[in-house]
Amino acid sequence: MITQPSRHCTVELNAVPARIGHVRRIVSAQLRRWHLDALIDPVTLGVTELLANVHRHARPSKRCTVELSLLIGRLTVSVHDDDPRLPRIRTAGDWETCGRGLALIAALSESWGMRPEGGGKVVWFTLPALTAAPGEARTVRSRWDPLPLDDDLARTPAETAPRSGVRGARVG
């Protein structure tokens, strides 16, 4: 089920791999609707990490809710599941293929946290959200955008585009 009051979006799902890609597409579309295109990559990455944690660790079920809430220039993204055990950050070894999810959330967000709620828990993160009016040509920088080099300041936007043509990885 999806609910979308003016600045709030909720998606309920079972956190299984086939559904995670679908939720990323819903989140991306909602962010575009709110004119927050610059946040699509960090938000979908964060949602993917949190849903992967639910898939991997949550018991007794994989049922969860993803919530986006935009309020006064701040986007809060949260995932609620029914497992009362709070996650913990750990240091993953160089050879390990998992164990970096919460460290990644901490690195990509302005703030983050977790709390017990309703017999389960909520894990959340926030990002600053600057919106542009519909049709307004405005560039919104995210912390994922590279800072311009001194010689880039004199170039046009087309000249400062990433040279490789790849801006970030999107799966699904």
Side-chain angles (χ1 to χ4, degrees):
M1 172 173 62
I2 303 169
T3 59
Q4 297 178 348
S6 65
R7 297 294 185 179
H8 186 254
C9 176
T10 304
V11 182
E12 296 177 4
L13 71 144
N14 282 317
V16 295
R19 295 288 296 159
I20 293 172
H22 182 75
V23 171
R24 278 197 311 262
R25 289 187 291 279
I26 291 170
V27 166
S28 296
Q30 186 62 53
L31 293 172
R32 280 188 200 92
R33 181 172 178 235
W34 290 343
H35 307 285
L36 296 173
D37 298 48
L39 297 182
I40 291 172
D41 286 341
V43 170
T44 56
L45 178 60
V47 165
T48 300
E49 288 298 327
L50 294 178
L51 291 177
N53 283 350
V54 172
H55 173 70
R56 184 174 175 100
H57 302 291
R59 293 184 214 136
S61 78
K62 306 302 179 190
R63 190 90 187 131
C64 65
T65 303
V66 175
E67 183 176 1
L68 305 177
S69 182
L70 181 61
L71 182 63
I72 311 174
R74 181 141 346 283
L75 178 70
T76 301
V77 180
S78 60
V79 173
H80 178 272
D81 67 54
D82 295 327
D83 189 337
R85 296 173 299 149
L86 294 177
R88 59 184 174 82
I89 290 185
R90 67 182 195 85
T91 303
D94 292 342
W95 62 93
E96 293 181 278
T97 59
C98 56
R100 295 174 181 83
L102 290 178
L104 182 64
I105 296 295
L108 72 81
S109 64
E110 183 177 67
S111 62
W112 74 281
M114 61 190 95
R115 66 181 180 273
E117 186 173 289
K121 69 178 165 300
V122 174
V123 182
W124 57 269
F125 65 93
T126 66
L127 292 165
L130 303 172
T131 60
E136 182 180 328
R138 180 184 193 194
T139 301
V140 179
R141 287 184 47 82
S142 80
R143 68 189 279 177
W144 288 73
D145 293 333
L147 292 173
L149 301 173
D150 289 338
D151 63 335
D152 286 341
L153 297 177
R155 295 182 186 168
T156 65
E159 293 172 325
T160 60
R163 287 165 182 65
S164 69
V166 177
R167 181 70 172 187
R170 281 196 205 166
V171 179

